[in-house]
Amino acid sequence: MATDALAPPAVACAHCGIPVPADALDAAAPRQFCCAGCRAVWTLLAEHGLDDYYAVRDATDAPGRPARPSGRAYAELDTESFRARGCRAITGGLLATDLVLEGVHCGACVWLVERLPALVPGVVEARLDLPRSQALITWDPRRVSLSAIARRLDGIGYTPHPCRGGAAREARRHEDRAMVIRIGVTGAVAAAVMHIALALYGGALDGIEPEAETFLRWMSLVITLPAVVWGADVFFRGAVAALRVGVLHMDLPISAGIVAGFVHGAVNTVRGKGDVYFDSVTCLIFLLLVGRHVLRRQQRAAADRTELLASLAPATARLIEDGAVREIPLDALVPGARVEVRADDTIPADGVIVAGRSALDLSLLSGESRPVEVAEGDRVHAGTVNRTSRIEVRVERTGEDTRVGQLMKLVDEHARRRAPIVALADRIAGWFVAVVFALAAGTFLFWLPAGAGRAIDHAVALLVVTCPCALGLATPLALSAAMGRAARAGILVKGADVLQTLTRPGRIWLDKTGTLTEGRLTLVRWVGDESAKPLVAALETHSAHPVARALVAALGSRSGSPATSRETRGGGITGVVDGRRVAVGSPSFVASETGPVPASLVADAERCAAEGLTPLLVAVDGSAVAVAALGDAPREDAAAAVARIARRGWEIGVLSGDHPAAVESAARKIGLDPAACRGGVTPEGKLERVTEERERRAVVMVGDGVNDAAALAAATVGIAVHGGAEAALAAADVYVVRPGLAPVADLIDGAGRAMRVVRRNLVFSLLYNVAGAALAMAGLVGPLVAAVLMPVSSLIVVASSYRARTFDREPAR
Amino acid sequence: MSVIFVVVPLAVALAVVGVIAFVWASRSGQFDDLHTPGIRILHDDPPPPSPAPRDR
């Protein structure tokens, strides 16, 4: 076994509170920090007298997080184009803008961000909206530039990003506010009308002066008017739209009930006799509006959070001009330009490397988990990540013309072409409308011999009492409650129909990289001499190569550099450690260093290669002694999660861009049928498979990269998993915050439970409607009965929705 | 009972005032974020001294 790294007693970092790693400990210092970022933040806060932050944080009992400043210059925030697009001018020459802040997570963050005026003179106000991680910054451009503010925020560990989609966001905000106002006004109307109705019911039982009764009825009519004409307008428009396209929708019976109740009541008020249902009608409108708003709010919240992640993608490139490097917005990048890409940066455009060599992580584009070595003259694509060292790239294609841009076009096309899923409640609504109208007509005809007035009264009573209030609430409430619980468990569901689709099993395609496996190289197997391990660790400690990092992660780092070390690109590394000559690298490289390799080791290496692993030979003092096989190890929870999904009746397969052998070995380890697992599939190939299969049944695609995005958009349900690309987030219906496949299994289980709640609610509301209809046909329903039945049934549905434990994780945290 | 002819319109007028206030509050964005203000109200107090071990 490798050395265990858990030994020393943990010293907490003074900023974030996580244990300080042994090599960062400074025995002489009064405070210990886990990293330079945390030290910088602590010093900055102390200098400005803001160290109360730690007291606030301890009082809120929130866990700390290490500060990881990005160190960017944010020059793009000072450009005229950003000022025109992203800023609002306020009186007094001040400017205001919204910034998305990475890493805000608790009350103490609110405290610190809102103390920004104390940190940066010239900032007038900072307001943080914690759920959206969005800060509204107001500043005086004559005293400070926005880039300086952004650098300060970055410096205290909240990396800022400009908000995208400002206009759409603003429109949505207005829509939300309009809905809140509608609900508020309707609620006030319902309350007022109900109070008056109470007086009327009292009068009906104990006697009331006729003038007072007439007056109260007229008052109710006048107060109800805005709720029906303006508040219920949403349902009327839905009903008209449904009629126009010839489908039966839940809005139809709702509108029928509202209109029948209101018109009948208005006529009776004018006539001065007969029943009025104003209290039931307003209560109905209010409850239904609330149900709709709650559902939409929940979907919005999930969409907002994924959008937020999307705006974290870098929107700048580092342009090299006359020997100097400066940051420019991505939009301003033109073909022919020369850009610098540092280690761990994303490549901003398609182009050719003109200087430097590095290893690229192509997994977002191709799904290939092994890093690819590149050097001068090699072609690189936007969206891939530079892993090891700085390179310079001559830009050839930018924006939409890049390979990623082309893929995004496919994504858009397929997202548009997708057929909407008919909600369960709407399918029921079809039958419901027909039955209710038939019953109303039947009631009218049955009571006609007793007089037209009475017949109309009973028919209207039936329409009002069967107006699907509980039915209309049953699905939205149950679904939004389930989505809220899912969000708390780290599963963001963007559309309520997703839960319904997931209850009927079909085919589920998984992407290998990052879903089934860790998505990075790890040491999977070591065959041969164990004593060579420390030597290898020492040799690789100082290399930035991905293979070296994987070996160091597995074997532990060793201080003290080797006397000499030399790396050969695409080959390996040699050096002297503790006076011994060590070589680590590809079999051919090591063979060239040492001469013939023992046949048993060659056979081991070949076996590893056949399993899709990358074999490395280790030679000490001129003779090969061990094989280290690197690969993308399956996640620990993958097998269990796959089994859980399979138990639900889903057929699981793998569609990966990775090497077929690697896919097959990963599948075998997890317990999947290798026949259903395909490797080396191009993004277009994934798309084709998914579109072809979804003709026949529900297809769920789980993926994380740009290479999956088109397939995610085309699938019946697309699920993007943790750490994925922006494109995948935009295309998917569900975004899973936790890594691994377990949340996908949770989602499928939870969806089943959520739909059981929906069905339970629907059955109850239908029963209620049947009972109501029967009473109305018997002529037993008056306004009082309707007014009691309606809220009671709705309350039961509400309670049933919010009590259901749809997405609760087993002992969380 | 004739008092209701005065009182009910009066009550409705009061309710209208309340509704107008609500509409104004929504329009000015006071219901946009329902989470952060609840945290913010705690900050105006001087933050508590370093958490001393509580007696149990």
Side-chain angles (χ1 to χ4, degrees):
Chain A
M1 271 302 293
T3 38
D4 214 333
L6 289 170
V11 178
C13 171
H15 173 67
C16 65
I18 69 169
V20 178
D23 50 355
L25 271 180
D26 179 4
R31 285 183 185 80
Q32 305 294 341
F33 298 95
C34 67
C35 58
C38 285
R39 181 191 302 277
V41 175
W42 191 91
T43 317
L44 189 68
L45 295 187
E47 271 170 14
H48 289 81
L50 290 177
D51 34 4
D52 279 348
Y53 165 75
Y54 299 103
V56 175
R57 195 188 61 198
D58 291 344
T60 49
D61 202 23
R65 284 186 191 180
R68 300 254 155 72
S70 71
R72 284 182 47 204
Y74 292 100
E76 79 273 14
L77 296 185
D78 290 337
T79 57
E80 275 306 314
S81 69
F82 180 79
R83 185 164 290 194
R85 259 185 311 132
C87 304
R88 294 183 295 284
I90 298 190
T91 48
L94 302 180
L95 289 176
T97 194
D98 284 316
L99 293 178
V100 173
L101 300 187
E102 229 175 307
V104 287
H105 64 291
C106 69
C109 297
V110 178
W111 185 87
L112 187 51
V113 170
E114 298 193 348
R115 295 296 174 284
L116 198 61
L119 274 173
V120 190
V123 175
V124 178
E125 197 190 21
R127 301 286 275 184
L128 181 65
D129 180 336
L130 192 55
R132 294 185 185 82
S133 305
Q134 207 172 311
L136 173 64
I137 313 274
T138 312
W139 79 102
D140 185 344
R142 286 154 301 191
R143 293 177 59 201
V144 68
S145 65
L146 184 56
S147 62
I149 302 169
R151 281 195 297 274
R152 230 333 120 70
L153 280 168
D154 185 38
I156 55 177
Y158 304 126
T159 308
H161 303 270
C163 276
R164 291 198 191 158
R169 201 183 297 265
E170 202 53 32
R172 245 171 24 194
R173 189 180 286 168
H174 272 114
E175 208 178 294
D176 271 351
R177 285 180 189 170
M179 189 66 174
V180 168
I181 293 175
R182 206 182 276 268
I183 289 174
V185 171
T186 319
V189 165
V193 173
M194 238 182 286
H195 280 117
I196 298 179
L198 219 54
L200 284 173
Y201 294 140
L205 295 175
D206 288 349
I208 185 170
E209 289 166 30
E211 309 86 67
E213 190 181 6
T214 313
F215 173 70
L216 290 177
R217 279 154 71 108
W218 275 99
M219 282 307 287
S220 308
L221 172 61
V222 171
I223 300 171
T224 306
L225 209 57
V228 171
V229 173
W230 177 68
D233 169 58
V234 186
F235 307 112
F236 299 155
R237 258 186 285 165
V240 170
L243 279 182
R244 202 170 286 159
V245 292
V247 292
L248 297 171
H249 185 262
M250 198 48 108
D251 280 346
L252 270 175
I254 290 174
S255 300
I258 293 171
V259 170
F262 179 72
V263 170
H264 180 254
V267 169
N268 280 355
T269 304
V270 175
R271 282 199 316 160
K273 57 180 179 182
D275 299 331
V276 293
Y277 291 97
F278 295 132
D279 53 335
S280 293
V281 167
T282 50
C283 182
L284 188 83
I285 300 172
F286 174 65
L287 288 176
L288 285 169
L289 283 177
V290 169
R292 241 164 240 211
H293 181 61
V294 164
L295 179 64
R296 199 164 56 169
R297 210 183 163 87
Q298 202 61 254
Q299 295 181 348
R300 268 303 150 70
D304 273 352
R305 289 227 351 234
T306 44
E307 219 170 80
L308 184 118
L309 286 161
S311 57
L312 302 187
T316 59
R318 303 175 59 83
L319 182 71
I320 307 176
E321 221 174 30
D322 309 326
V325 178
R326 65 189 176 93
E327 268 183 65
I328 59 163
L330 216 46
D331 311 337
L333 197 61
V334 287
R338 205 176 152 104
V339 292
E340 177 196 66
V341 185
R342 295 181 176 177
D344 284 333
D345 275 358
T346 304
I347 292 177
D350 287 4
V352 173
I353 300 185
V354 286
R357 54 175 49 170
S358 182
L360 294 190
D361 179 351
L362 305 184
S363 57
L364 284 187
L365 203 56
S366 68
E368 169 80 48
S369 54
R370 296 179 214 183
V372 176
E373 306 268 350
V374 288
E376 262 171 60
D378 283 345
R379 192 162 291 277
V380 292
H381 291 292
T384 54
V385 181
N386 180 16
R387 280 292 174 221
T388 48
S389 52
R390 179 184 171 281
I391 52 174
E392 285 177 22
V393 174
R394 195 182 62 241
V395 174
E396 286 186 340
R397 278 191 290 272
T398 60
E400 284 200 350
D401 301 328
T402 59
R403 182 147 164 72
V404 172
Q406 297 295 322
L407 282 176
M408 288 316 295
K409 266 194 202 153
L410 275 180
V411 171
D412 277 351
E413 267 169 37
H414 280 270
R416 266 203 307 275
R417 228 182 272 161
R418 179 140 69 169
I421 299 166
V422 182
L424 183 57
D426 285 338
R427 268 196 319 231
I428 292 182
W431 290 98
F432 193 84
V433 177
V435 171
V436 164
F437 281 117
L439 286 180
T443 310
F444 178 78
L445 291 178
F446 180 76
W447 287 95
L448 202 54
R454 251 182 110 183
I456 290 176
D457 275 356
H458 291 321
V460 168
L462 183 127
L463 281 177
V464 172
V465 84
T466 56
C467 183
C469 182
L471 200 60
L473 282 175
T475 11
L477 282 187
L479 289 178
S480 69
M483 284 162 65
R485 281 169 190 272
R488 255 172 282 151
I491 304 166
L492 304 175
V493 182
K494 283 200 253 173
D497 46 3
V498 165
L499 296 178
Q500 192 183 329
T501 315
L502 287 177
T503 44
R504 218 170 310 142
R507 164 73 88 170
I508 181 163
W509 287 115
L510 308 171
D511 175 41
K512 183 182 90 70
T513 324
T515 312
L516 288 176
T517 59
E518 301 277 355
R520 57 188 162 77
L521 279 183
T522 46
L523 179 63
V524 177
R525 194 177 308 151
W526 179 280
V527 189
D529 189 1
E530 293 282 322
S531 65
K533 278 183 175 177
L535 300 176
V536 171
L539 180 67
E540 301 280 10
T541 297
H542 296 277
S543 170
H545 195 277
V547 167
R549 288 189 198 173
L551 283 171
V552 171
L555 302 174
S557 67
R558 277 257 311 250
S559 43
S561 59
T564 54
S565 78
R566 188 169 55 84
E567 283 187 55
T568 309
R569 189 169 89 85
I573 182 170
T574 56
V576 178
V577 181
D578 301 339
R580 306 179 70 178
R581 221 148 42 75
V582 183
V584 181
S586 67
S588 57
F589 170 79
V590 172
S592 72
E593 291 282 318
T594 64
V597 176
S600 67
L601 283 181
V602 172
D604 283 333
E606 274 167 6
R607 219 176 15 253
C608 291
E611 283 179 36
L613 301 171
T614 308
L616 298 175
L617 278 182
V618 177
V620 176
D621 289 333
S623 59
V625 292
V627 173
L630 296 182
D632 195 4
R635 283 179 183 282
E636 278 176 24
D637 61 357
V642 161
R644 265 173 72 195
I645 296 172
R647 253 204 313 277
R648 295 257 158 211
W650 290 81
E651 271 179 57
I652 308 172
V654 175
L655 279 185
S656 172
D658 214 336
H659 194 268
V663 172
E664 203 190 309
S665 86
R668 224 180 272 284
K669 278 189 200 123
I670 291 160
L672 284 174
D673 176 14
C677 300
R678 279 155 230 271
V681 190
T682 61
E684 290 80 7
K686 291 184 180 188
L687 175 63
E688 197 181 317
R689 263 225 86 75
V690 167
T691 29
E692 180 231 330
E693 197 167 2
R694 66 160 292 182
E695 305 279 309
R696 286 174 280 129
R697 54 178 165 174
V699 180
V700 175
M701 176 79 204
V702 183
D704 62 351
V706 175
N707 60 327
D708 304 314
L712 286 173
T716 332
V717 174
I719 303 176
V721 295
H722 179 75
E726 184 190 348
L729 291 180
D733 306 287
V734 179
Y735 173 61
V736 172
V737 180
R738 285 181 286 146
L741 199 54
V744 176
D746 287 350
L747 173 66
I748 290 177
D749 285 351
R753 281 193 289 270
M755 286 315 286
R756 269 204 295 282
V757 177
V758 167
R759 266 184 238 116
R760 192 171 71 202
N761 283 352
L762 288 178
V763 166
F764 168 77
S765 358
L766 285 175
L767 279 180
Y768 154 79
N769 278 325
V770 168
L775 287 177
M777 286 162 74
L780 294 174
V781 174
L784 186 56
V785 176
V788 170
L789 279 183
M790 191 87 64
V792 168
S793 66
S794 302
L795 276 179
I796 291 175
V797 171
V798 170
S800 139
S801 301
Y802 282 94
R803 282 209 51 249
R805 314 175 70 76
T806 38
F807 272 95
D808 292 346
R809 267 195 279 166
E810 312 77 60
R813 292 227 276 185
Chain B
M1 278 304 280
S2 54
V3 71
I4 63 161
F5 296 105
V6 180
V7 174
V8 171
L10 206 64
V12 170
L14 276 177
V16 168
V17 171
V19 166
I20 289 170
F22 174 77
V23 170
W24 167 79
S26 317
R27 288 237 167 99
S28 65
Q30 297 187 33
F31 299 108
D32 286 359
D33 174 11
L34 302 175
H35 182 63
T36 324
I39 295 169
R40 199 172 283 139
I41 197 167
L42 302 171
H43 290 160
D44 288 340
D45 295 326
S50 57
R54 278 185 216 111
D55 297 301
R56 271 263 160 121

